[in-house]
Amino acid sequence: MTTVIETTRFSVLDRSRTREGHSAPEALRDTVALAQDLERLGYSRFWVSEHHGVPGVAGSAPTVLAAAVAAATRRLRVGTGGVMLPNHQPLVVAEQFGVLESLFPGRIDMGLGRSVGFTDGVRRALGRDKDVADDFAGQLDELLAFFTGTSATRAHARPSEGLTVPPFVLAMGEGASIAARAGLPMVIGDLRSREKMLRGIDRYRAEFRPSVWAAEPYVVISGTVAVAGSEPEARRLLIPEAWSMAHSRTHGTFPPLPPAERVASLELTAKEREFYEAGLRGHIAGTEQQVADELETVIKESGAQEVLVTTSTYDREGLLESYRRLARIARLTPA
């Protein structure tokens, strides 16, 4: 009997996390290599992210990195998870995706988020204020109008106008309603906040209005999934990111990922320990059977059509093995 997992698409977002002892350029090359591996395993999409001025993340220019990924692969859909629209002029974003779609027709996704620069310094460098995100819905409408040739500016985006680049909204807070009113597919997380995620999905479906981009709701749920031969091995994959997040919460800086073994030798303060333990909880992690059971549950609860996996860790071979095991669980078709 076919399980719900087997009828669900599985995709990956890689944040190009830097690692201790490894350079940022190496992190970007690792992202491209991972995309090639995942294409061979049968994953549907591969997305890259946008972060500015963050020491632990090398991916600052997602459309540039997406071009490199698309050039290194043949079948995989490639996109952004996402371009942070408040950081940019909609015309420029439209032009960038128009170029990508022209170079790699039928393979480009346009994932869009509403976050602004991480710090005051980054926002000043970008020429953006914190409140610019308040008009995300308007920025989204302006961007999409450049593809349909209906921009109120009377400007025309070349070569974008007339092209179809599937847009997705990364839903945080009111993002579910924005995606619904625009009639766009929605990406929502995180799997650790299950009830909040399910409420957002319900709101999205209730408020969805069909558009030229999507005739019906399309839900992508996102979060960390780690699969290994045992629970301790899967937990080991979670340790570097959990520690890095705990460090950022207590020190204000987001460091490169350390090896799990080094984290085990550290003496943490009570507050660091609290954030660290919280960072290990709620993810989907374990053996293939454990992960299959939990994925089956969350997909049924959410009715999601797709799962976007966002796992980051120091051990790149361990990460790839996790994706191999997940591909077996989902019975993906290898290329």
Side-chain angles (χ1 to χ4, degrees):
M1 185 177 67
T2 302
T3 66
V4 68
I5 295 177
E6 294 171 52
T7 61
T8 303
R9 290 177 176 169
F10 280 80
S11 303
V12 171
L13 166 65
D14 190 71
R15 293 191 176 92
S16 302
R17 291 287 272 114
T18 57
R19 299 178 294 152
E20 287 186 0
H22 299 267
S23 68
E26 185 178 351
L28 295 172
R29 292 191 292 268
D30 284 344
T31 290
V32 175
L34 179 62
Q36 293 173 313
D37 288 328
L38 296 183
E39 178 174 62
R40 287 189 285 268
L41 290 173
Y43 284 85
S44 295
R45 310 177 200 276
F46 187 89
W47 283 4
V48 295
S49 62
E50 175 182 336
H51 296 273
H52 298 285
V54 180
V57 184
S60 57
T63 53
V64 177
L65 184 52
V69 171
T73 54
R74 296 179 298 104
R75 174 197 57 80
L76 200 64
R77 293 199 65 91
V78 178
T80 55
V83 163
M84 296 300 137
L85 195 50
N87 289 339
H88 310 280
Q89 292 297 335
L91 172 62
V92 175
V93 175
E95 290 171 338
Q96 290 174 345
F97 279 97
V99 170
L100 282 170
E101 176 62 23
S102 298
L103 293 173
F104 308 102
R107 293 180 55 207
I108 301 301
D109 298 324
M110 184 167 57
L112 305 162
R114 65 188 297 269
S115 296
V116 289
F118 187 61
T119 64
D120 289 339
V122 169
R123 287 191 290 272
R124 284 195 300 272
L126 289 169
R128 293 292 187 267
D129 295 321
K130 231 175 188 179
D131 59 4
V132 71
D134 294 342
D135 190 34
F136 177 65
Q139 295 159 355
L140 186 61
D141 289 341
E142 184 180 347
L143 170 64
L144 298 180
F146 283 120
F147 287 92
T148 57
T150 57
S151 172
T153 66
R154 298 186 181 179
H156 296 273
R158 310 292 186 199
S160 317
E161 193 170 302
L163 297 180
T164 300
V165 183
F168 294 74
V169 170
L170 277 61
M172 298 282 287
E174 67 181 75
S177 293
I178 292 173
R181 289 194 294 268
L184 299 179
M186 177 185 71
V187 182
I188 189 167
D190 130 3
L191 294 171
R192 291 182 297 172
S193 305
R194 199 72 54 88
E195 290 185 9
K196 181 180 178 182
M197 183 184 76
L198 294 176
R199 286 196 302 270
I201 292 171
D202 288 343
R203 184 165 67 252
Y204 167 70
R205 290 201 176 105
E207 299 177 10
F208 185 86
R209 298 191 304 213
S211 72
V212 297
W213 303 99
E216 57 189 26
Y218 188 90
V219 174
V220 183
I221 55 174
S222 68
T224 294
V225 179
V227 198
S230 68
E231 271 193 273
E233 289 176 59
R235 179 184 170 90
R236 176 180 169 274
L237 293 176
L238 304 178
I239 287 173
E241 183 76 7
W243 178 85
S244 186
M245 290 298 295
H247 190 276
S248 71
R249 295 284 186 87
T250 52
H251 294 78
T253 61
F254 199 61
L257 297 175
E261 292 72 21
R262 192 174 82 74
V263 176
S265 68
L266 296 175
E267 290 188 15
L268 305 182
T269 66
K271 184 57 70 174
E272 286 172 333
R273 176 69 60 182
E274 180 184 340
F275 283 123
Y276 171 67
E277 293 294 345
L280 292 173
R281 290 194 296 268
H283 303 291
I284 296 180
T287 64
E288 290 182 34
Q289 188 59 57
Q290 289 171 321
V291 169
D293 291 344
E294 191 158 358
L295 279 173
E296 186 88 5
T297 297
V298 71
I299 293 169
K300 285 180 178 176
E301 288 177 347
S302 64
Q305 287 96 336
E306 188 167 340
V307 176
L308 179 69
V309 183
T310 62
T311 309
S312 297
T313 192
Y314 179 90
D315 181 359
R316 298 298 293 186
E317 181 51 45
L319 179 65
L320 180 56
E321 177 61 20
S322 176
Y323 282 129
R324 286 192 193 104
R325 290 175 180 272
L326 181 58
R328 284 202 294 268
I329 293 169
R331 296 193 181 178
L332 303 184
T333 303

